[in-house]
Amino acid sequence: MGQPLIPGTAITVGIIGCGAISAQYLASFRRLPNVRLAAVADLDPSRAQAVADSCDGVRALAVDDLLDDPAVGLVLNLTIPAAHADIALRAIAAGKSVYGEKPLAASTKEAREVLDAAKAAGVAVGCAPDTVLGTGIQTARKAIDDGLIGTPIAATAVMATPGHERWHPNPDFYYQPGGGPLLDMGPYYVSALVTLLGPVVSVTGAASRTRKQRTIGSGPRTGETVPVQVDSHVAGTLTHAGGAISTLVMSFDAVRTKSPNLEIHGERGSLVVPDPNRFDGDVELFALGAADWEVLPVSAGYAGAGRGIGIADLASTPPGTEPRAGGELAFHVLDVMESLLEAARTGTATDVRSTVARPAPVPLTPARPEDGTDGLSRA
């Protein structure tokens, strides 16, 4: 069994999956006083041992041993998307809370099993991306909530890259079920859109794949090819419950774009929102009647945050309260993306069956203040 989550106390974390993304979490954990890393595990024991050797007091364990370890209160699931649900369910069965990399699972069916199991066990579920808790998205949200653009009307979200195989030494999972530009990068953009504009009620979409295989461009496997099993260019429209309509383009085929990552348009102004794959960045406002864009002062969000702030926020969340980077938000985001792919396959508009409340806003809060408190807002 694991530890209960008690707001105001440190949560002890065990990581399963010590791939490239784990380094970003490790860097954050060193700055978060209410998160303590106790153990790591990986199917490749040498990778787990390398992480343990770089962190004082951290043990390298086999996956089963980490899941059985009573000192571990929360499992950080950094496995490939196809394994997200399996590891989460095993951790929940061991009485532990779970925080996973996106997406929550490879399908909404698996994701619902995770959430139902967690509810029955009385443990918490959180999920990346927690970038929406940073000053970039939260400052934009405050601008919208404060009425600076009036009633939101529309949004655009664009991500274009020729593919992660150009830089990632083991890119196979990006082109397997649970991957692709929508399920890999889409969670950043859809989570931001839901945070800014509220839940999505219906979608339309189109999708394509231009190549049957990709060539690895770095690392020891340079020159190897991997098969493409998913659509590599996805476009769609998202109708939000509040009436705003978002246009989404996610591509592993296009080379580059000069479009802003996110733009939000209202009856009284437009916002340029920073990259949702980052925690910070300038929010720009062009108000109706203004002469030029104005950079808004940072006014909300965890300042100086990095990957893992969602775990710290979860650990500070009162029992029975959904975490800001919680499982219900991640489920809705996955449902939106799955519905978009279904709409692309059928050529018809598709209703999104789930809904979710907008997470509570984050007041401007240092991720780790100078006074020695945990720095996390419980407002």
Side-chain angles (χ1 to χ4, degrees), residues 57 127 197 210 233 259 305 343 366:
C127 187
L197 301 175
T210 59
H233 183 97
S259 299

Side-chain angles (χ1 to χ4, degrees), residues 18-246:
C18 297
I21 193 65
S22 64
Q24 296 187 46
Y25 283 91
L26 295 173
S28 290
F29 288 172
R30 295 185 180 102
R31 300 185 292 112
L32 293 172
N34 72 334
V35 176
R36 186 176 71 83
L37 182 61
V40 295
D42 193 279
L43 291 177
D44 180 349
S46 66
R47 291 208 302 187
Q49 190 61 57
V51 170
D53 289 344
S54 70
C55 303
D56 292 341
V58 175
R59 295 163 292 142
L61 302 175
V63 171
D64 288 343
D65 291 338
L66 187 148
L67 292 171
D68 289 339
D69 191 337
V72 173
L74 179 143
V75 170
L76 172 55
N77 184 2
L78 302 184
T79 59
I80 62 172
H84 283 181
D86 176 62
I87 292 297
L89 288 169
R90 290 170 63 187
I92 291 166
K96 304 180 191 304
S97 294
V98 178
Y99 185 95
E101 256 303 321
K102 43 72 186 171
L104 180 59
S107 69
T108 52
K109 180 179 182 296
E110 290 183 347
R112 177 49 60 194
E113 292 173 358
V114 170
L115 295 184
D116 287 348
K119 183 177 181 179
V123 298
V125 175
C127 187
D130 52 3
T131 47
V132 294
L133 306 182
T135 55
I137 300 301
Q138 289 293 321
T139 293
R141 173 177 175 161
K142 189 173 189 305
I144 294 170
D145 291 350
D146 287 350
L148 297 190
I149 66 169
T151 301
I153 297 168
T156 59
V158 181
M159 190 286 302
T161 175
H164 293 345
E165 74 279 1
R166 295 168 61 87
W167 59 267
H168 199 291
N170 295 291
D172 312 59
F173 67 94
Y174 289 118
Y175 299 100
Q176 296 170 353
L182 184 61
L183 288 178
D184 175 55
M185 296 299 295
Y188 297 106
Y189 293 80
V190 179
S191 296
L193 289 170
V194 173
T195 296
L196 296 169
L197 301 175
V200 176
V201 295
S202 66
V203 297
T204 62
S208 64
R209 63 188 77 175
T210 59
R211 284 169 274 172
K212 294 182 179 179
Q213 61 185 24
R214 299 287 179 127
T215 302
I216 299 174
S218 67
R221 298 174 61 198
T222 296
E224 286 187 31
T225 59
V226 297
V228 176
Q229 304 175 45
V230 294
D231 290 318
S232 50
H233 183 97
V234 182
T237 57
L238 286 56
T239 300
H240 296 264
I245 298 173
S246 294

